[in-house]
Amino acid sequence: MAQSGQLELKAIGWGRAPHVFAETDREAYPDRDISDEVKKGFTVNDQKDMQRMGKKQELRRNFRLISTIGFTTCVMGTWEILLTSNTPGLIAGGRPGLFWSLVWAYCGQTFIVLSMAEMSSMAPTAGGQYHWVSEFAPRKYQKFLSYASGWLSTISWQSIVALDAYLAGTIVQGLISLTHEDYLPTRWQGTLLVFAAAIGMSLFNIFGAKHLPLAEGIFVTCHFFAFIPVIITLLVLAPKAHAKDVFTGFTDYGAGWPSVSWTVMVGQVSCMFVVLGSDSVAHMSEEIENASVIVPKSMVWAFLLNIPFAFGLLLSYLFSMPDVDGALGSPTGFPFIYVFRQAVKNTAGAAVLVVIILVLIVMITISSLASASRQTFAFARDNGLPFSSWLAAVHPTLHIPVNSIIFTCLFSLVMSLINIGSTVAFNALLSLSTVALMATYLISTGCVIVRRVYKNPPLPPSRWSLGRFGLPVNILAMIYASWSFFWSFWPNAHDVNAENFNWASVLFVGLMGISAVLYWVHARKVYDGPVVKVEGRKFH
């Protein structure tokens, strides 16, 4: 029996249901007040994991397997994001460029998802990549690598939310252009619409937090069932392109690179971004019951479930676009709106389909904002960010990091200002989120490889394991992440100017430069990395 005031923790086998603290535990443990545990709903394995990682349970664990899969599926929003963010890929490579880039992206991302799933089972914490790096990196490098990973993860997820909010706001502007032909859209109006979208979805995350699992169930239902009217409309009503144009007719629609192959390499970033998001569930780990099993399962299942929808949508979309030049030149700013309009032959019908997509994008942004705010909260909890005590605060009655949600909203507002001065704000956010997230995959997977090879100390036990396939899967994940990291910095056009330059490189270097300055000035004195609190790895 454990000492007074503490609960003895025993591992639970795979074949048994997870033990949840219940009223009967009062008889078994009369010296422990477990009212909070009953309310927060965590299992013995959750308690054991949190104790091993040196973390306090502050958030309510109200997500279960189905709602967690729904959450992850919704954050990824693969077919919706693919439909609304394909313009860069369409310009650089045309229809075949998009299709084959998605095939390649899914092949490579599979190894990253499997690697992250195993890491999330070893250490199910809202910190995600930066915690894994801290725990798995060699002692000499863990502090700095963990700090860098934390900043990269924060930048990537904040950028993803900003991009999703940008899509929501500008789709509204595209809808207005569709229904009012005399409307002349301006970038500042689009920015104000992004402001409204970001603020509205942040308020939902704050005041609707208790109902987020239920909302995720509704979201994922809409995610699957809204696919049907969209796909049927395109397959039945839209004019059709020839198969050779879709699969082999590689074309440069204005990128201007010296060769088509080079053009396709640059354009693949659109599809790389589409398949991201599986690690979102890792940042919700401390709100998921039986997280060391549910989180990796959710990562893999959500990733697999989205594959047929992504390819079904893309093929229908590409075959329904015989006039690529017309789609790219649409006054709405979105090729998919042009395709809808050409399919249904009337404005009202196209507007209904656009509204369906807009609602889904709003749902995706709500889910992404929840994940991003939890990641920010976790990194601040370990003193990795400025104003950490404020960002890491958990609201006493809502049991969510309200301040981190507010910060995420403010970041989206600031990033949306890029749209006023440049037409490539979307490209910048897309590339920034991709390159930063790929960097976290590179560092965390590299640290796991080192631990697998040297086994000093061995990796923590995992309830969801890759077994003997772990090392080759991790190596392939690093190869793909390196490839994606490299191409994400390239501008979409060969002849670069201030308007079409890939500003992600400037944002990335600038933000990481700020993090380096903060590290040497302040963070290195207060940030030790979460590993100092982990059982068996307590060192300074």
Side-chain angles (χ1 to χ4, degrees):
M1 192 69 179
Q3 296 178 355
S4 176
Q6 295 182 340
L7 181 65
E8 183 180 20
L9 304 172
K10 297 181 180 178
I12 294 176
W14 281 87
R16 296 174 58 190
H19 176 74
V20 182
F21 289 108
E23 292 296 325
T24 53
D25 291 323
R26 296 184 186 279
E27 299 177 4
Y29 307 102
D31 59 342
R32 181 175 176 85
D33 181 5
I34 62 172
S35 58
D36 285 341
E37 284 83 347
V38 173
K39 179 177 64 176
K40 294 175 181 177
F42 53 76
T43 70
V44 169
N45 280 299
D46 294 325
Q47 174 84 345
K48 179 179 67 174
D49 289 332
M50 293 294 282
Q51 185 180 65
R52 187 190 71 79
M53 295 183 294
K55 301 300 181 185
K56 177 184 177 183
Q57 183 69 48
E58 297 181 90
L59 308 176
R60 182 184 288 110
R61 291 185 183 263
N62 52 4
F63 278 86
R64 306 296 182 264
L65 178 61
I66 300 302
S67 57
T68 306
I69 293 176
F71 173 85
T72 315
T73 303
C74 193
V75 171
M76 295 182 70
T78 307
W79 72 265
E80 298 95 331
I81 298 297
L82 180 60
L83 185 65
T84 57
S85 63
N86 58 76
T87 302
L90 203 57
I91 292 173
R95 288 163 293 193
L98 271 178
F99 176 77
W100 293 111
S101 292
L102 187 65
V103 172
W104 164 242
Y106 262 119
C107 290
Q109 191 69 17
T110 297
F111 300 106
I112 290 178
V113 171
L114 292 174
S115 298
M116 287 192 300
E118 186 179 47
M119 286 186 276
S120 69
S121 185
M122 295 177 191
T125 167
Q129 287 94 313
Y130 88 87
H131 180 103
W132 303 335
V133 170
S134 180
E135 189 166 346
F136 305 150
R139 175 173 178 171
K140 182 178 179 181
Y141 305 108
Q142 73 83 20
K143 183 175 178 178
F144 178 74
L145 286 179
S146 172
Y147 179 81
S149 298
W151 267 83
L152 287 165
S153 189
T154 302
I155 290 170
S156 63
W157 275 104
Q158 294 293 332
S159 299
I160 287 173
V161 174
L163 179 61
D164 289 345
Y166 178 92
L167 281 174
T170 51
I171 287 174
V172 172
Q173 196 172 28
L175 184 61
I176 297 172
S177 297
L178 174 67
T179 54
H180 296 79
E181 294 183 359
D182 57 342
Y183 172 66
L184 297 176
T186 59
R187 292 200 291 268
W188 68 266
Q189 291 172 336
T191 298
L192 290 179
L193 289 169
V194 175
F195 272 38
I199 294 171
M201 289 177 279
S202 299
L203 291 174
F204 181 92
N205 262 275
I206 294 173
F207 297 105
K210 186 169 64 173
H211 306 291
L212 191 58
L214 174 62
E216 293 300 336
I218 296 172
F219 292 173
V220 77
T221 301
C222 295
H223 168 76
F224 288 129
F225 283 99
F227 179 81
I228 298 173
V230 173
I231 205 79
I232 289 177
T233 300
L234 294 178
L235 290 176
V236 175
L237 300 178
K240 299 297 182 289
H242 297 292
K244 66 177 183 178
D245 294 329
V246 172
F247 295 113
T248 60
F250 294 94
T251 308
D252 184 345
Y253 287 97
W257 292 97
S259 68
V260 173
S261 299
W262 202 340
T263 302
V264 174
M265 292 299 101
V266 172
Q268 67 184 316
V269 179
S270 291
C271 290
M272 290 175 180
F273 174 78
V274 164
V275 300
L276 297 177
S278 297
D279 59 310
S280 60
V281 67
H283 305 305
M284 302 295 290
S285 293
E286 294 172 33
E287 296 172 63
I288 298 171
E289 183 185 295
N290 201 26
S292 58
V293 171
I294 299 302
V295 171
K297 282 185 176 181
S298 300
M299 279 190 189
V300 175
W301 274 111
F303 182 77
L304 295 177
L305 285 171
N306 270 314
I307 292 176
F309 288 89
F311 280 105
L313 181 282
L314 182 60
L315 287 172
S316 302
Y317 176 66
L318 296 179
F319 272 102
S320 301
M321 191 193 301
D323 181 11
V324 178
D325 285 311
L328 290 172
S330 171
T332 65
F334 288 95
F336 83 92
I337 298 180
Y338 173 87
V339 171
F340 285 168
R341 179 65 180 81
Q342 295 300 109
V344 299
K345 303 296 189 299
N346 69 81
T347 300
V352 170
L353 292 175
V354 174
V355 168
I356 291 174
I357 301 302
L358 175 61
V359 171
L360 292 171
I361 293 294
V362 168
M363 293 176 177
I364 291 168
T365 310
I366 289 172
S367 303
S368 300
L369 199 151
S371 183
S373 62
R374 270 54 167 191
Q375 190 283 328
T376 301
F377 150 78
F379 194 39
R381 180 176 57 185
D382 285 313
N383 296 314
L385 292 170
F387 311 107
S388 286
S389 59
W390 184 78
L391 287 170
V394 176
H395 195 278
T397 57
L398 296 175
H399 301 288
I400 57 171
V402 172
N403 294 342
S404 289
I405 294 174
I406 294 172
F407 170 79
T408 304
C409 177
L410 293 175
F411 185 91
S412 296
L413 300 184
V414 172
M415 287 296 101
S416 68
L417 294 175
I418 299 174
N419 185 52
I420 296 177
S422 173
T423 57
V424 292
F426 175 83
N427 293 15
L429 290 172
L430 185 146
S431 296
L432 178 63
S433 54
T434 303
V435 74
L437 208 51
M438 287 300 172
T440 68
Y441 298 157
L442 269 171
I443 299 172
S444 57
T445 307
C447 292
V448 168
I449 290 174
V450 171
R451 287 285 290 273
R452 285 192 191 280
V453 172
Y454 291 100
K455 300 179 180 179
N456 182 30
L459 288 167
S462 170
R463 297 174 68 205
W464 193 98
S465 175
L466 294 173
R468 59 194 176 94
F469 299 104
L471 184 58
V473 167
N474 293 157
I475 292 173
L476 290 171
M478 281 202 69
I479 292 173
Y480 174 72
S482 301
W483 170 272
S484 301
F485 182 86
F486 173 76
W487 287 108
S488 295
F489 282 114
W490 287 64
N492 210 48
H494 180 262
D495 297 324
V496 179
N497 54 46
E499 282 292 305
N500 60 29
F501 179 68
N502 187 351
W503 291 99
S505 56
V506 176
L507 292 171
F508 181 81
V509 172
L511 290 170
M512 292 309 295
I514 292 172
S515 74
V517 171
L518 289 174
Y519 180 80
W520 290 108
V521 171
H522 176 68
R524 64 191 177 97
K525 304 172 186 175
V526 298
Y527 180 82
D528 295 311
V531 73
V532 300
K533 302 175 183 176
V534 173
E535 286 187 1
R537 294 291 305 277
K538 296 180 179 178
F539 53 78
H540 291 272

